[in-house]
Amino acid sequence: MIRKELLELLFEAASIQRWNDHIRPEHFTELDKQAHKMVYAYVLAKIEEADHGAEINWRLLIEGGLYEFLHRIVLTDIKPPIYYTLMAEKGEQLNRWVIEDVLVDKVTDLRVDLLAQMKQYYLQTDESTLEKRILKAAHYLATNWEFKIIYRLNEGLYGLDETRAAIANQIEEHFDLAGVQKLTLGKKTSNFLDLVGQLRFQQRWAQSPRVPKTSVMGHMLIVAMMSYLCSIELDACPKRIYNNYFAALFHDLPEVLTKDIVSPVKKSVTGIDEIIKEIEHRQLEERIFPLLPTAWHSELKYFTENEFESKIIENDLCRTVSSDQINQKYNEDQFSPLDGEIIKACDQLAAYIETFLSISHGIKSYHLEEGNRLLYGRYINKTIAGINFGQFFSYFKV
C-alpha cells in the first residue's frame, strides 16, 4: 500500500526554491524542474529509439527519474558545486544515509520492494547505462532552460559565466545522444520543450491564495508519479506502466495553450466542457503536434484525447474499457492498456492534497475548502481496479 509519508514527500519539492541566491522568477521550484526534466527525458529517449535504434528500458527510465527526484528532495539544500564534490568523495555514504535513514519509512509496504531497487540504483557504480545517461542529459538540459532566464536577469553577477560554462560542458558530455544534438540546434522539437516549460509559470488554483503554490507543470509530474505507484501495485505490464506514467505526465498539456480553466467554469453551462475539449484538440493539432516528429503523434493523441478514460488497442482500434477489465483481461503489452480512470483519481487526489496542505498551513479560502469537501466526498468510499482511493483520501482528512 502507498503510504501517506511517501505522498507527502512528493509535495515537499513544491516548497524547494531553485537558484535562490540569484534574481529569479518566483516559481523556479524543484518540483517544476524535475517535471520538465522528465519531459526532456521522454523526448531524448524517443529520439534515441528513432535515430539510433536504441532499446530503451522505459520502466528503468521512469523509476530512475523517481529515485533521483526523491534523492534531490533530501539533499537539495546543498549548493550544486558542493553537492557534486560530496557525491564524488562520499557518494556511497550519502546514498546509504538517504535510503536507510530518510526514505526507509516512506517507501515500505509497496507491492514492489522499492527500497531494494533504490539501493541498487543509487549504489550502482556504472553510470554509463543508456537510461542513466538520458536522465543526466535531461537534468542538464532542464537546468540550462532555467539558466538562460537566470542569466538575463543576473548578467554581470560574479561567477555567472563560470556556471554557464559548467552547464555547457555537461551538455557537451552527452553529445553522443542524438536528442542532445538535435535540441542544441534550437529547432522545432526544442520549441516544443520551450512551450511545455511555460506550464511552470501557470499557477493552479489561481483564484485562491495557497501554500505551497504549485504549477500545472509540477502537478503533472505528481500525477505521473502517483500513477506509476498505482501501476506497480496492480502488477501492471510494462506497456501499461509506460502508458499510465506518460499519459499522466502529459494529461494537462493542452493547458499550455488554453490555461487552467477551473471546474466551475467548465460546469457553468451545459455542453461547455465538450466545447473546451474540442478547442484543446484543435490547438494540439495546429500548434503542438507540428513541433514533434509525425511518428509520435498517434501516441500523444492516445495519451491526451479522452485522457480520463481507460482504454486499450485491439486490432489496431482504440477501445474504451474499464480498469477492472484491464486487470482481468487486458494487462498485456499487446493491448497497450492505459488506465485513464486511475489517472483521473490521481489527478483529483493531487488536487485534494493541494487543498489539504494549504488549509493545514492556515491559508484557506472558500474555493479550497469547498474543493476539499467535494473531493473527499467523491472518493472516500471509492475503489478503482482494486486500489482503495478512499484510504488515500482519508490520509489527508482536514
Side-chain angles (χ1 to χ4, degrees), residues 205 208 355 359 363-375 398:
W205 301 89
S208 177
T355 67
I359 292 169
I363 308 297
K364 50 189 168 181
S365 68
Y366 167 79
H367 300 291
L368 292 178
E369 292 182 313
E370 183 70 0
N372 181 278
R373 183 186 65 80
L374 291 173
L375 287 168
V398 174

Side-chain angles (χ1 to χ4, degrees), residues 16-121:
I16 299 170
Q17 294 292 318
R18 291 177 55 76
W19 304 97
N20 58 5
D21 53 353
H22 293 72
I23 302 169
R24 67 199 188 282
E26 181 184 0
H27 301 303
F28 263 15
T29 68
E30 189 64 32
L31 177 60
D32 293 348
K33 154 65 191 297
Q34 294 290 330
H36 208 181
K37 166 186 166 179
M38 291 311 295
V39 178
Y40 269 102
Y42 172 82
V43 169
L44 292 176
K46 295 292 285 186
I47 293 174
E48 204 63 18
E49 281 185 331
D51 288 20
H52 287 166
E55 291 187 13
I56 306 295
N57 184 333
W58 285 97
R59 178 164 180 170
L60 182 59
L61 190 77
I62 291 166
E63 290 174 343
L66 174 62
Y67 304 155
E68 292 177 11
F69 174 85
L70 297 175
H71 194 276
R72 201 64 187 140
I73 289 175
V74 176
L75 296 175
T76 199
D77 284 340
I78 305 173
K79 290 192 68 165
I82 307 301
Y83 171 81
Y84 293 123
T85 301
L86 286 173
M87 289 303 297
E89 297 181 10
K90 297 290 182 181
E92 183 174 343
Q93 295 94 318
L94 268 176
N95 286 332
R96 289 192 182 278
W97 174 75
V98 168
I99 297 165
E100 296 171 4
D101 290 12
V102 181
L103 297 179
V104 62
D105 294 329
K106 298 175 173 60
V107 299
T108 53
D109 299 335
L110 293 168
R111 181 186 181 97
V112 171
D113 190 350
L114 205 62
L115 196 66
Q117 292 183 0
M118 290 169 70
K119 281 185 180 180
Q120 183 179 0
Y121 187 87

Side-chain angles (χ1 to χ4, degrees), residues 9-268:
L9 185 64
L10 301 181
F11 280 89
E12 283 190 20
S15 298
I16 299 170
Q17 294 292 318
R18 291 177 55 76
W19 304 97
N20 58 5
D21 53 353
H22 293 72
I23 302 169
R24 67 199 188 282
E26 181 184 0
H27 301 303
F28 263 15
T29 68
E30 189 64 32
L31 177 60
D32 293 348
K33 154 65 191 297
Q34 294 290 330
H36 208 181
K37 166 186 166 179
M38 291 311 295
V39 178
Y40 269 102
Y42 172 82
V43 169
L44 292 176
K46 295 292 285 186
I47 293 174
E48 204 63 18
E49 281 185 331
D51 288 20
H52 287 166
E55 291 187 13
I56 306 295
N57 184 333
W58 285 97
R59 178 164 180 170
L60 182 59
L61 190 77
I62 291 166
E63 290 174 343
L66 174 62
Y67 304 155
E68 292 177 11
F69 174 85
L70 297 175
H71 194 276
R72 201 64 187 140
I73 289 175
V74 176
L75 296 175
T76 199
D77 284 340
I78 305 173
K79 290 192 68 165
I82 307 301
Y83 171 81
Y84 293 123
T85 301
L86 286 173
M87 289 303 297
E89 297 181 10
K90 297 290 182 181
E92 183 174 343
Q93 295 94 318
L94 268 176
N95 286 332
R96 289 192 182 278
W97 174 75
V98 168
I99 297 165
E100 296 171 4
D101 290 12
V102 181
L103 297 179
V104 62
D105 294 329
K106 298 175 173 60
V107 299
T108 53
D109 299 335
L110 293 168
R111 181 186 181 97
V112 171
D113 190 350
L114 205 62
L115 196 66
Q117 292 183 0
M118 290 169 70
K119 281 185 180 180
Q120 183 179 0
Y121 187 87
Y122 288 150
L123 302 178
Q124 181 183 7
T125 55
D126 183 11
E127 294 290 326
S128 64
T129 63
L130 179 56
E131 292 76 19
K132 279 194 173 183
R133 285 185 55 73
I134 287 171
L135 287 168
K136 194 170 183 180
H139 163 78
Y140 283 109
L141 287 165
T143 296
N144 191 53
W145 188 91
E146 294 177 331
F147 183 74
K148 287 187 288 186
I149 297 172
I150 294 292
Y151 190 87
R152 287 192 288 270
L153 295 172
N154 293 269
E155 195 166 1
L157 191 70
Y158 176 74
L160 201 64
D161 287 323
E162 184 180 340
T163 302
R164 179 168 65 173
I167 295 170
N169 288 340
Q170 286 294 337
I171 292 173
E172 186 177 333
E173 286 288 319
H174 296 85
F175 249 62
D176 58 305
L177 298 175
V180 174
Q181 297 173 31
K182 287 190 174 182
L183 293 179
T184 53
L185 294 174
K187 302 299 182 182
K188 63 179 186 177
T189 307
S190 178
N191 291 337
F192 167 75
L193 288 156
D194 195 40
L195 189 64
V196 171
Q198 294 177 35
L199 290 170
R200 299 175 68 158
F201 305 117
Q202 288 191 24
Q203 184 181 331
R204 285 174 53 78
W205 301 89
Q207 77 276 42
S208 177
R210 189 168 54 89
V211 173
K213 294 178 181 178
T214 49
S215 72
V216 173
M217 181 95 250
H219 167 78
M220 287 158 58
L221 180 63
I222 292 283
V223 177
M225 291 187 292
M226 287 180 174
S227 297
Y228 161 75
L229 293 170
C230 289
S231 298
I232 62 173
E233 288 300 292
L234 295 174
D235 196 20
C237 66
K239 189 65 172 177
R240 189 178 181 186
I241 291 172
Y242 170 87
N243 285 342
N244 287 351
Y245 182 88
F246 286 107
L249 186 64
F250 290 117
H251 80 277
D252 279 337
L253 181 61
E255 290 185 13
V256 74
L257 302 172
T258 63
K259 296 194 177 179
D260 184 15
I261 302 171
V262 296
S263 293
V265 173
K266 292 178 181 178
K267 296 174 181 177
S268 60

